[in-house]
Amino acid sequence: MHDLAMQIAVIGVAGIAAQWLAWRFQIPAIVILLAVGLIFGPLTGMMNPRSDFGELYTPLVSTAVAIILFEGGLTLRLREIRETSTAVRRVVMVSGPMVWIMTALAARYVGDMSWPVSLILGALLVVTGPTVIMPLLRHARLKARPASLLRWEAILNDPVGALFAVVSFEAYLVLRGAHDAEHLIVTTLAALVVAVAGGILGGRALTIFFARGHAPEYLKAPILFAVVVGMNALTNLLLEEAGLLTVTIMGITMANSKLASLNELRKFKETITVLLVSGLFIVLTASLQLSVIMSLEWRVVVFLALVLLVIRPIAIFVSTTGAGLEFKERLLVSWIAPRGIVAVAVAGLFGTTLARIGVADADRMVAYTFAVVAATILLHGFSLKPLARILDLRVTNRPGILIVGASRFSIALARRLKAQEVPVVIADANWSHVSEARLAEVDVWFGEILSEEAHHSLDLSRFDHMIAATDNDAYNALVCTDFGAEIGRSEVFQVGSTSSGQQTSGARHAMHFTLGGMPLFKPPRTYNQLRDDIIDGWTFQATRLTPEFGLEQFFETRPEGTTPVLWIQPSQDIVFAAAEGAGEPDVGDVIIAFGPPRAERDQEKIVRGTLTEREARAERARKTAEDVAKQSEGAN
């Protein structure tokens, strides 16, 4: 396939299809992308992007990696590193050089490579790859501390490892007489200064430029994109791949600024990154030669064992001694170190250059790098979640629900969910409302859910669903719109009027269809209606369906007006009744329904025919009035 337009189209479609399949079947996306790249490239010879793209191949790959690292930097907020700052600093500054030296020794004496290739390979395998770590963290739902450490290490180590490789390569050129040592030292120091200072100044300049309104909203993302590409290219003029450090620091600088439009910029960059990661990994894997892969011998197995089981654990345990981490956290981090795009990309770059200047085992460096990348993706991709479960480092083994608004309705729902062992948290900025929820023994978060603090301290990976249940429909819609991007627009629900079900009199009062969440009830029910129902004695009931007691019997034995809100499947997945394509509950599901109460003795009387339905409703109304009167007396 030599038609570049068709090749780009195939890579794009295959990459996104792989991402969707990974989401659908809950497996690491990189595993599927790796398989697709092998099929397109070495196994079938359908494409060879390195030769097909020609001179554009290297700069395109370098630019794509820079954009990916910048987006990774945008996710790093200094407030998140409070508990792991010492560990992160030691992992980058102590563990990184240790891995470099030990891996180089393994490549030299086990892989039987030359010293130049061994040093470059050791530097490349310092990186742990945010393009692999990020999807794995989302999939594994780790607790905050180990997740923060792995994320920071992956993003910071990528440019550091690339710089180690560049320094090794330049040092080899010095030994060959192509450069002098003074030139290398001056160039390296200048590149580091430019990278660090340029990243900080570039990030702050863009923040001020955007904050003062010098660019319209529709141009902010394109300007940001252009600046990232430009900063990467400019720094690379001093030292190859030093631009990766520049854009990473620029991303971190902007992530920790108070820029109102940062969320929109981050969403745009995340979309671009998903496209680039999907396509880039296929391109890099498809560019491998089958002969290179077949050249791997028994030495690579021993090398892999040393890298995974000896070098990484030693470096992590030595560097994190006294860093405030538990043993099980250090054990997890010492095992999880998948390599990704940067290692493969830089290995291809230097492998080609070394081969051109006559280094015999340059191709073996590429093969070894690919072997480590493939092995770590497969081993770490499929072992992270089980290992985290064994070590009790997962946030929860069940999907949770975040409820915004501590009303009597939401507290009653939370108590019923908690009784079914569903993780649930109620968030509210009103202390008296939160106090009521705490008295009901429901987990709470006191504060404004739309604040920056909420995004830091409320780990959203704990929640698969959210319900906005305050008395303000517009606020509910705002909350659902804000959190829908992270939790999923199909998994955020709200009480009252929504974009998909309006209770208003006309289009003038209707919200735009892109705002808000799904209605919690169909047809939508307002906050006041639900409040009145609670006052009238309505309750949440949990009922498990069995072969003998199915959905039809459920409705036959419930008072009129009972509405299923959600059901919990045997797999612990939660399905909301109002969700699109929810279907119906099946045998084994536990239905959480909201409906009028029916006392057991009334149920028995109705069955015997000694009490009419009307009399039962009147009796419930009388008891409710007595309860309200008692509460009023207690308040007075």
Short mmCIF file of all heavy atoms in Angstrom, two decimals, residues 345-378:
data_model
loop_
_atom_site.label_atom_id
_atom_site.label_comp_id
_atom_site.label_asym_id
_atom_site.label_seq_id
_atom_site.Cartn_x
_atom_site.Cartn_y
_atom_site.Cartn_z
N ALA A 345 10.35 5.27 19.23
CA ALA A 345 10.63 6.35 18.29
C ALA A 345 12.10 6.75 18.32
O ALA A 345 12.76 6.88 17.28
CB ALA A 345 9.74 7.55 18.59
N VAL A 346 12.64 6.98 19.53
CA VAL A 346 14.03 7.41 19.64
C VAL A 346 14.97 6.28 19.25
O VAL A 346 16.03 6.51 18.64
CB VAL A 346 14.32 7.92 21.06
CG1 VAL A 346 15.77 8.37 21.18
CG2 VAL A 346 13.39 9.09 21.41
N ALA A 347 14.61 5.04 19.57
CA ALA A 347 15.44 3.91 19.15
C ALA A 347 15.52 3.83 17.63
O ALA A 347 16.60 3.58 17.06
CB ALA A 347 14.88 2.60 19.72
N GLY A 348 14.39 4.04 16.97
CA GLY A 348 14.40 4.04 15.51
C GLY A 348 15.26 5.15 14.94
O GLY A 348 15.99 4.95 13.96
N LEU A 349 15.16 6.33 15.58
CA LEU A 349 15.95 7.47 15.12
C LEU A 349 17.45 7.20 15.22
O LEU A 349 18.21 7.34 14.24
CB LEU A 349 15.58 8.71 15.94
CG LEU A 349 16.45 9.96 15.73
CD1 LEU A 349 16.26 10.50 14.33
CD2 LEU A 349 16.10 11.03 16.77
N PHE A 350 17.91 6.78 16.40
CA PHE A 350 19.34 6.56 16.60
C PHE A 350 19.82 5.27 15.93
O PHE A 350 20.97 5.17 15.51
CB PHE A 350 19.69 6.55 18.08
CG PHE A 350 19.59 7.91 18.72
CD1 PHE A 350 18.78 8.13 19.82
CD2 PHE A 350 20.31 8.97 18.22
CE1 PHE A 350 18.69 9.38 20.40
CE2 PHE A 350 20.23 10.23 18.79
CZ PHE A 350 19.41 10.44 19.88
N GLY A 351 18.93 4.28 15.86
CA GLY A 351 19.31 3.04 15.19
C GLY A 351 19.64 3.28 13.73
O GLY A 351 20.65 2.76 13.21
N THR A 352 18.82 4.07 13.06
CA THR A 352 19.07 4.40 11.66
C THR A 352 20.38 5.17 11.49
O THR A 352 21.19 4.88 10.60
CB THR A 352 17.90 5.23 11.10
OG1 THR A 352 16.69 4.48 11.25
CG2 THR A 352 18.11 5.55 9.63
N THR A 353 20.60 6.14 12.38
CA THR A 353 21.80 6.97 12.29
C THR A 353 23.06 6.13 12.57
O THR A 353 24.07 6.25 11.86
CB THR A 353 21.72 8.14 13.29
OG1 THR A 353 20.52 8.86 13.08
CG2 THR A 353 22.91 9.07 13.13
N LEU A 354 23.00 5.28 13.60
CA LEU A 354 24.16 4.45 13.94
C LEU A 354 24.47 3.46 12.82
O LEU A 354 25.64 3.20 12.51
CB LEU A 354 23.91 3.71 15.25
CG LEU A 354 23.91 4.57 16.53
CD1 LEU A 354 23.45 3.75 17.72
CD2 LEU A 354 25.30 5.15 16.79
N ALA A 355 23.41 2.90 12.23
CA ALA A 355 23.63 1.96 11.12
C ALA A 355 24.28 2.66 9.93
O ALA A 355 25.13 2.09 9.25
CB ALA A 355 22.30 1.32 10.72
N ARG A 356 23.89 3.93 9.70
CA ARG A 356 24.43 4.68 8.57
C ARG A 356 25.91 4.98 8.74
O ARG A 356 26.65 5.06 7.77
CB ARG A 356 23.63 5.96 8.39
CG ARG A 356 23.95 6.70 7.08
CD ARG A 356 22.99 7.81 6.80
NE ARG A 356 22.96 8.81 7.86
CZ ARG A 356 21.90 9.04 8.62
NH1 ARG A 356 20.79 8.34 8.46
NH2 ARG A 356 21.94 9.96 9.57
N ILE A 357 26.35 5.14 10.00
CA ILE A 357 27.76 5.46 10.22
C ILE A 357 28.59 4.21 10.50
O ILE A 357 29.75 4.30 10.91
CB ILE A 357 27.93 6.48 11.36
CG1 ILE A 357 27.42 5.91 12.69
CG2 ILE A 357 27.25 7.77 11.03
CD1 ILE A 357 27.59 6.87 13.86
N GLY A 358 27.95 3.02 10.35
CA GLY A 358 28.71 1.79 10.38
C GLY A 358 28.74 1.03 11.67
O GLY A 358 29.58 0.12 11.83
N VAL A 359 27.85 1.32 12.63
CA VAL A 359 27.79 0.55 13.88
C VAL A 359 27.05 -0.76 13.59
O VAL A 359 25.88 -0.75 13.21
CB VAL A 359 27.09 1.35 14.99
CG1 VAL A 359 27.01 0.51 16.27
CG2 VAL A 359 27.85 2.64 15.25
N ALA A 360 27.70 -1.88 13.81
CA ALA A 360 27.17 -3.17 13.34
C ALA A 360 25.88 -3.59 14.03
O ALA A 360 24.98 -4.13 13.38
CB ALA A 360 28.24 -4.24 13.53
N ASP A 361 25.78 -3.41 15.34
CA ASP A 361 24.62 -3.93 16.07
C ASP A 361 23.55 -2.87 16.33
O ASP A 361 22.80 -2.97 17.29
CB ASP A 361 25.04 -4.58 17.39
CG ASP A 361 25.98 -3.68 18.19
OD1 ASP A 361 26.25 -2.56 17.72
OD2 ASP A 361 26.44 -4.10 19.26
N ALA A 362 23.47 -1.85 15.49
CA ALA A 362 22.45 -0.82 15.66
C ALA A 362 21.04 -1.39 15.50
O ALA A 362 20.11 -1.02 16.23
CB ALA A 362 22.68 0.31 14.66
N ASP A 363 20.88 -2.31 14.52
CA ASP A 363 19.56 -2.91 14.33
C ASP A 363 19.14 -3.76 15.52
O ASP A 363 17.95 -3.85 15.84
CB ASP A 363 19.56 -3.77 13.06
CG ASP A 363 19.55 -2.93 11.79
OD1 ASP A 363 19.15 -1.75 11.89
OD2 ASP A 363 19.92 -3.45 10.73
N ARG A 364 20.10 -4.38 16.18
CA ARG A 364 19.77 -5.18 17.36
C ARG A 364 19.25 -4.29 18.49
O ARG A 364 18.41 -4.71 19.29
CB ARG A 364 20.99 -5.97 17.83
CG ARG A 364 21.42 -7.02 16.80
CD ARG A 364 22.61 -7.82 17.30
NE ARG A 364 22.29 -8.57 18.50
CZ ARG A 364 23.01 -8.58 19.62
NH1 ARG A 364 24.12 -7.84 19.68
NH2 ARG A 364 22.67 -9.30 20.65
N MET A 365 19.73 -3.04 18.58
CA MET A 365 19.21 -2.12 19.58
C MET A 365 17.72 -1.88 19.36
O MET A 365 16.92 -1.87 20.30
CB MET A 365 19.96 -0.79 19.53
CG MET A 365 19.48 0.23 20.54
SD MET A 365 20.29 1.83 20.38
CE MET A 365 19.56 2.42 18.85
N VAL A 366 17.33 -1.67 18.10
CA VAL A 366 15.91 -1.48 17.77
C VAL A 366 15.11 -2.72 18.13
O VAL A 366 14.02 -2.64 18.70
CB VAL A 366 15.75 -1.13 16.28
CG1 VAL A 366 14.27 -0.98 15.94
CG2 VAL A 366 16.51 0.13 15.93
N ALA A 367 15.67 -3.90 17.81
CA ALA A 367 14.96 -5.15 18.11
C ALA A 367 14.80 -5.36 19.61
O ALA A 367 13.73 -5.76 20.09
CB ALA A 367 15.72 -6.33 17.51
N TYR A 368 15.84 -5.08 20.38
CA TYR A 368 15.76 -5.22 21.83
C TYR A 368 14.75 -4.23 22.43
O TYR A 368 14.00 -4.56 23.35
CB TYR A 368 17.14 -5.03 22.46
CG TYR A 368 17.94 -6.30 22.59
CD1 TYR A 368 18.23 -7.08 21.48
CD2 TYR A 368 18.40 -6.73 23.83
CE1 TYR A 368 18.96 -8.25 21.58
CE2 TYR A 368 19.13 -7.91 23.94
CZ TYR A 368 19.40 -8.66 22.82
OH TYR A 368 20.11 -9.83 22.92
N THR A 369 14.76 -3.00 21.92
CA THR A 369 13.80 -2.00 22.41
C THR A 369 12.38 -2.46 22.15
O THR A 369 11.51 -2.38 23.02
CB THR A 369 14.05 -0.64 21.73
OG1 THR A 369 15.39 -0.23 21.95
CG2 THR A 369 13.09 0.41 22.28
N PHE A 370 12.15 -2.94 20.92
CA PHE A 370 10.82 -3.44 20.58
C PHE A 370 10.43 -4.61 21.48
O PHE A 370 9.29 -4.72 21.93
CB PHE A 370 10.77 -3.87 19.12
CG PHE A 370 9.50 -4.56 18.75
CD1 PHE A 370 8.33 -3.85 18.56
CD2 PHE A 370 9.47 -5.94 18.60
CE1 PHE A 370 7.15 -4.50 18.22
CE2 PHE A 370 8.30 -6.60 18.27
CZ PHE A 370 7.14 -5.88 18.08
N ALA A 371 11.36 -5.51 21.77
CA ALA A 371 11.07 -6.66 22.62
C ALA A 371 10.66 -6.22 24.02
O ALA A 371 9.71 -6.75 24.61
CB ALA A 371 12.30 -7.59 22.69
N VAL A 372 11.39 -5.22 24.57
CA VAL A 372 11.05 -4.72 25.90
C VAL A 372 9.69 -4.03 25.88
O VAL A 372 8.87 -4.24 26.79
CB VAL A 372 12.14 -3.75 26.41
CG1 VAL A 372 11.71 -3.09 27.72
CG2 VAL A 372 13.46 -4.48 26.60
N VAL A 373 9.43 -3.23 24.86
CA VAL A 373 8.15 -2.55 24.76
C VAL A 373 7.01 -3.56 24.67
O VAL A 373 6.01 -3.47 25.39
CB VAL A 373 8.13 -1.60 23.53
CG1 VAL A 373 6.72 -1.09 23.27
CG2 VAL A 373 9.07 -0.44 23.75
N ALA A 374 7.14 -4.55 23.78
CA ALA A 374 6.07 -5.55 23.61
C ALA A 374 5.87 -6.35 24.89
O ALA A 374 4.72 -6.58 25.32
CB ALA A 374 6.42 -6.47 22.44
N ALA A 375 6.97 -6.78 25.52
CA ALA A 375 6.86 -7.60 26.73
C ALA A 375 6.23 -6.83 27.88
O ALA A 375 5.35 -7.35 28.59
CB ALA A 375 8.24 -8.12 27.14
N THR A 376 6.67 -5.58 28.08
CA THR A 376 6.12 -4.81 29.19
C THR A 376 4.67 -4.42 28.96
O THR A 376 3.87 -4.38 29.91
CB THR A 376 6.96 -3.54 29.44
OG1 THR A 376 7.07 -2.79 28.21
CG2 THR A 376 8.35 -3.89 29.91
N ILE A 377 4.30 -4.14 27.72
CA ILE A 377 2.91 -3.81 27.43
C ILE A 377 2.01 -5.00 27.77
O ILE A 377 0.96 -4.86 28.42
CB ILE A 377 2.74 -3.40 25.96
CG1 ILE A 377 3.29 -1.98 25.75
CG2 ILE A 377 1.27 -3.45 25.54
CD1 ILE A 377 3.29 -1.55 24.31
N LEU A 378 2.42 -6.19 27.34
CA LEU A 378 1.61 -7.37 27.58
C LEU A 378 1.61 -7.76 29.06
O LEU A 378 0.55 -7.96 29.67
CB LEU A 378 2.11 -8.53 26.73
CG LEU A 378 1.92 -8.38 25.21
CD1 LEU A 378 2.62 -9.50 24.47
CD2 LEU A 378 0.44 -8.37 24.86
#
